[in-house]
C-alpha cells in the first residue's frame, strides 16, 4: 500500500514542491530507515514503487517525481545532447532534492538512495554533494555526470570516506552512452566502496535477479549495522 503526498511539480526545480509516494503511512515511519527512489527520464513517481515488494520491509520507501514535465512523464534535468543541458541544471535539480531531504531525514534512522537511469545521476550527484549523509547508494542502469569543476560536487570528501555503492547494469544496454559508462565506472571505483554486477539479457531495465541482489545489499549495509 502506498500513501501519496501531493505537491506541485513545476518546470523550475528551485520552486519544486515534490509529489511523493510513500510505502508506509506517516504514523509508521518514525525511526525507520528511509530509502528514496529516483525514477528515469520520462517516467514518474509510480514507476519504481513496484520495487518495494522486493525490498526489505523494514524500510520506509519514498518515491519522488522529477520537476520537469517531458512527454508522458518527467525529467530531472535536460539530456546531455539537448541544447539547454548544463551542469548548473543538474545542480539546481539535485539541490532541490537535498532541501526536501532536510525536511524528512530527522524522522529516520538512516537515509539510503536508489536511482534508475537518469535517476542514478541524481543519486550519485546527491552523494557527491552530501558524501557523509547516506548509509548506502544503489544505481541501476544509469550514470554519473561530469562535474566540470562545479563546487557543488565534493568529490574529494567522497573519496576520503567512501560509501557502499551497488551498481547493476547490462553491458548490452544501448540507452546509456559508452562515454558516460566509462566516466561513471572510473568515478565509482575512485570514490565509493563499489559492488558492481553485470546482468545479461536485461538491457535498459531491472530484473528479479538484480532486485534480489539489491535486497541483500540493503540488508547487509543498512539493517546489518543497526
Amino acid at each position: 500500500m502506498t500513501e501519496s503526498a501531493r505537491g506541485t511539480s513545476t518546470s523550475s526545480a528551485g520552486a519544486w514542491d515534490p509529489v511523493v509516494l510513500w510505502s508506509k503511512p506517516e504514523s509508521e515511519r518514525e525511526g525507520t530507515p528511509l530509502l528514496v527512489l529516483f525514477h528515469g527520464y520520462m517516467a514518474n513517481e509510480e514507476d519504481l514503487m513496484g520495487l518495494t515488494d522486493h525490498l526489505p520491509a523494514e524500510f520506509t520507501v519514498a518515491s519522488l517525481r522529477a520537476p520537469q514535465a517531458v512527454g508522458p512523464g518527467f525529467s530531472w534535468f535536460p539530456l546531455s545532447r539537448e541544447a539547454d543541458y548544463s551542469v548548473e541544471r543538474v545542480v539546481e535539480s539535485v539541490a532541490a532534492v537535498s532541501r526536501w531531504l532536510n525536511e524528512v531525514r530527522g524522522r529516520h534512522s538512516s537515509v539510503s538512495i536508489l536511482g534508475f537511469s537518469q535517476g542514478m545521476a541524481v543519486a550519485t550527484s546527491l552523494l557527491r554533494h552530501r558524501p557523509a549523509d547516506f548509509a548506502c547508494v544503489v544505481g541501476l542502469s544509469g550514470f554519473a555526470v561530469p562535474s566540470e569543476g562545479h563546487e557543488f560536487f565534493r568529490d574529494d570528501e567522497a573519496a576520503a570516506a567512501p560509501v557502499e555503492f551497488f551498481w547493476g547494469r547490462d553491458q548490452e544496454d544501448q540507452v546509456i552512452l559508452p562515454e558516460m559508462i566509462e566516466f561513471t565506472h572510473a568515478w565509482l571505483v575512485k570514490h565509493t566502496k563499489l559492488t558492481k554486477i553485470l546482468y545479461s539479457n536485461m538491457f535498459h531495465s531491472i530484473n528479479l535477479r538484480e532486485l534480489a541482489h539489491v535486497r541483500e545489499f540493503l540488508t547487509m549495509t543498512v539493517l546489518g549495522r543497526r
Side-chain angles (χ1 to χ4, degrees):
M1 180 177 180
T2 62
E3 180 173 296
S4 177
R6 295 282 167 180
T8 303
S9 226
T10 71
S11 59
S12 171
W16 184 54
D17 182 14
V19 174
V20 186
L21 284 179
W22 294 90
S23 64
K24 299 180 187 293
E26 188 170 359
S27 60
E28 298 178 12
R29 299 175 200 164
E30 191 73 35
T32 60
L34 176 65
L35 177 66
V36 184
L37 309 182
F38 304 106
H39 63 74
Y41 184 75
M42 286 203 299
N44 61 36
E45 72 282 2
E46 298 178 356
D47 187 58
L48 297 180
M49 283 304 288
L51 305 185
T52 304
D53 293 340
H54 301 275
L55 302 176
E58 292 89 342
F59 281 86
T60 292
V61 178
S63 184
L64 275 64
R65 177 190 293 179
Q68 177 69 55
V70 176
F74 298 86
S75 170
W76 296 100
F77 50 83
L79 298 178
S80 60
R81 64 175 180 266
E82 296 176 335
D84 56 346
Y85 172 83
S86 68
V87 173
E88 195 60 48
R89 292 293 298 275
V90 179
V91 168
E92 180 185 52
S93 180
V94 176
V97 175
S98 183
R99 289 191 292 271
W100 175 83
L101 275 174
N102 287 338
E103 297 174 6
V104 302
R105 65 177 297 118
R107 297 193 60 188
H108 297 276
S109 57
S110 66
V111 179
S112 302
I113 48 180
L114 180 156
F116 171 74
S117 193
Q118 192 185 54
M120 179 176 164
V122 177
T124 52
S125 296
L126 272 173
L127 172 63
R128 298 165 75 180
H129 180 56
R130 306 172 65 150
D133 286 355
F134 302 107
C136 69
V137 183
V138 176
L140 306 178
S141 300
F143 60 97
V145 299
S147 67
E148 299 180 12
H150 199 292
E151 63 183 4
F152 185 82
F153 299 90
R154 297 154 61 182
D155 286 354
D156 289 346
E157 293 178 37
V163 171
E164 297 279 359
F165 197 110
F166 179 96
W167 186 25
R169 60 179 296 267
D170 184 347
Q171 292 196 101
E172 300 303 316
D173 184 343
Q174 300 297 312
V175 174
I176 309 302
L177 297 175
E179 55 265 34
M180 297 303 294
I181 294 298
E182 183 178 352
F183 171 82
T184 301
H185 182 260
W187 189 89
L188 290 173
V189 167
K190 183 177 179 180
H191 297 88
T192 72
K193 294 179 181 178
L194 178 62
T195 298
K196 177 186 175 184
I197 303 182
L198 299 175
Y199 302 89
S200 59
N201 300 313
M202 184 175 73
F203 306 106
H204 192 66
S205 65
I206 301 169
N207 66 22
L208 290 175
R209 182 165 172 259
E210 184 177 40
L211 285 175
H213 289 151
V214 171
R215 181 188 182 98
E216 180 180 5
F217 175 79
L218 291 171
T219 299
M220 292 178 62
T221 57
V222 180
L223 302 182
R225 294 176 178 173
R226 293 197 300 168

